[in-house]
Amino acid sequence: MYSILAVTGVLLLHASVNVLNDYYDFMHGVDSPNSPTAVYRRQPLVMGTVSPSFVRNLGFSLIIAGSSIGVYLTIMEGYLILVLGLLGVFLLYAYIGPPFTLKYRGLGELSVALTWGPLLVSGFFVAASGGSLPPSTLLISLPPLFIMFSIIYANNYRDREYDAKAGIKTLAMLTARHGYGIYLGSLITAYVINVVLVIMGVIPFTTLATLLTIALIPGLAKAFRGNAHDIDAKTGLLYTIYCLIYGVALMMPR
């Protein structure tokens, strides 16, 4: 039950940062009818179908809803949920919210990777185990961290020229010269770490099933080089499939 609640809370918080990202990008003039993101998905704010205040209130309401689940889990599971939850909520908000706006300062990729890597994995471990957090959790969270980093990096790399005109800085802009290597290297690193952890005995050999998803990388590399408008969504699909296989494999008895 606690694991289901943890998943629900994470989904609510994930939705909140997506909503607030659209809100603050719109308010800062980053999103417009000509922005790359508007090419492949509907943006109600840009289209004028919803008001900025509605989107802002929705974003913070989702944070409150997700945090409420976190408070309940803290009462039932212990202080570790509270610590991880507070860090997660802070990083989710700080990614785009003032006065931090990490996304605009070249720190967005790292903050998202930390949230959806160590913090997310640690939170699930605590919820599923009744409040304990094995020291190996940080190592186990590294493969998802690197794949999530590649998602945000790809998104910002695609938008780098447009973002530059808007006067913001992302890590992808600052490292654009080495963008392809950083993107592909992040993906490959996830699999290398996975194999190393199996060899070390930290995770079961069944997690090697994730290697099947390597078949998606050549297509992603090609899409990245071609500056595909949906490169972040394509990489996100890899993340989803990888984590599903990884999670199931970790839960299997050794």
Side-chain angles (χ1 to χ4, degrees):
M1 175 183 174
Y2 294 148
S3 296
I4 295 175
L5 284 175
V7 170
T8 302
V10 166
L11 289 175
L12 289 170
L13 292 174
H14 180 49
S16 73
V17 75
N18 284 342
V19 171
L20 291 176
N21 181 63
D22 280 358
Y23 170 75
Y24 285 113
D25 274 352
F26 177 78
M27 297 303 293
H28 290 134
V30 177
D31 280 349
S32 72
N34 299 319
S35 60
T37 306
V39 172
Y40 75 96
R41 71 175 176 91
R42 296 169 62 85
Q43 290 183 299
L45 272 175
V46 174
M47 298 167 62
T49 55
V50 296
S51 67
S53 60
F54 173 83
V55 175
R56 180 196 62 213
N57 294 338
L58 174 61
F60 284 110
S61 296
L62 289 168
I63 288 180
I64 293 172
S67 299
S68 298
I69 293 177
V71 170
Y72 174 76
L73 289 175
T74 297
I75 295 173
M76 303 304 296
E77 299 269 23
Y79 74 95
L80 278 176
I81 286 287
L82 177 63
V83 173
L84 295 170
L86 288 175
L87 284 172
V89 170
F90 169 74
L91 287 175
L92 285 171
Y93 174 77
Y95 172 70
I96 189 64
F100 310 101
T101 55
L102 299 179
K103 175 182 177 180
Y104 300 161
R105 304 174 191 274
L107 296 172
E109 292 88 344
L110 179 59
S111 67
V112 172
L114 288 173
T115 302
W116 295 101
L119 288 178
L120 180 64
V121 174
S122 297
F124 280 140
F125 262 92
V126 172
S129 65
S132 64
L133 185 61
S136 60
T137 303
L138 178 60
L139 294 175
I140 294 171
S141 72
L142 291 179
L145 180 153
F146 278 97
I147 298 178
M148 176 52 70
F149 174 87
S150 69
I151 296 173
I152 307 303
Y153 188 87
N155 176 82
N156 291 338
Y157 184 86
R158 178 201 60 204
D159 297 347
R160 65 193 185 283
E161 294 181 1
Y162 190 86
D163 287 346
K165 295 177 182 177
I168 67 174
K169 293 181 180 180
T170 64
L171 181 62
M173 290 171 57
L174 299 174
T175 60
R177 181 179 178 183
H178 308 287
Y180 180 75
I182 292 173
Y183 173 75
L184 193 57
S186 298
L187 292 177
I188 293 174
T189 298
Y191 292 95
V192 171
I193 292 176
N194 192 336
V195 172
V196 170
L197 292 179
V198 170
I199 295 173
M200 292 171 59
V202 176
I203 57 178
F205 75 93
T206 50
T207 59
L208 293 177
T210 57
L211 298 182
L212 294 172
T213 60
I214 291 178
L216 298 174
I217 291 184
L220 291 174
K222 182 178 180 180
F224 187 91
R225 277 195 178 279
N227 208 36
H229 66 271
D230 58 348
I231 181 59
D232 54 339
K234 290 180 182 294
T235 313
L237 178 61
L238 169 64
Y239 178 83
T240 300
I241 298 173
Y242 181 97
C243 288
L244 283 173
I245 298 174
Y246 194 58
V248 170
L250 286 172
M251 290 187 290
M252 289 183 176
R254 300 198 182 194

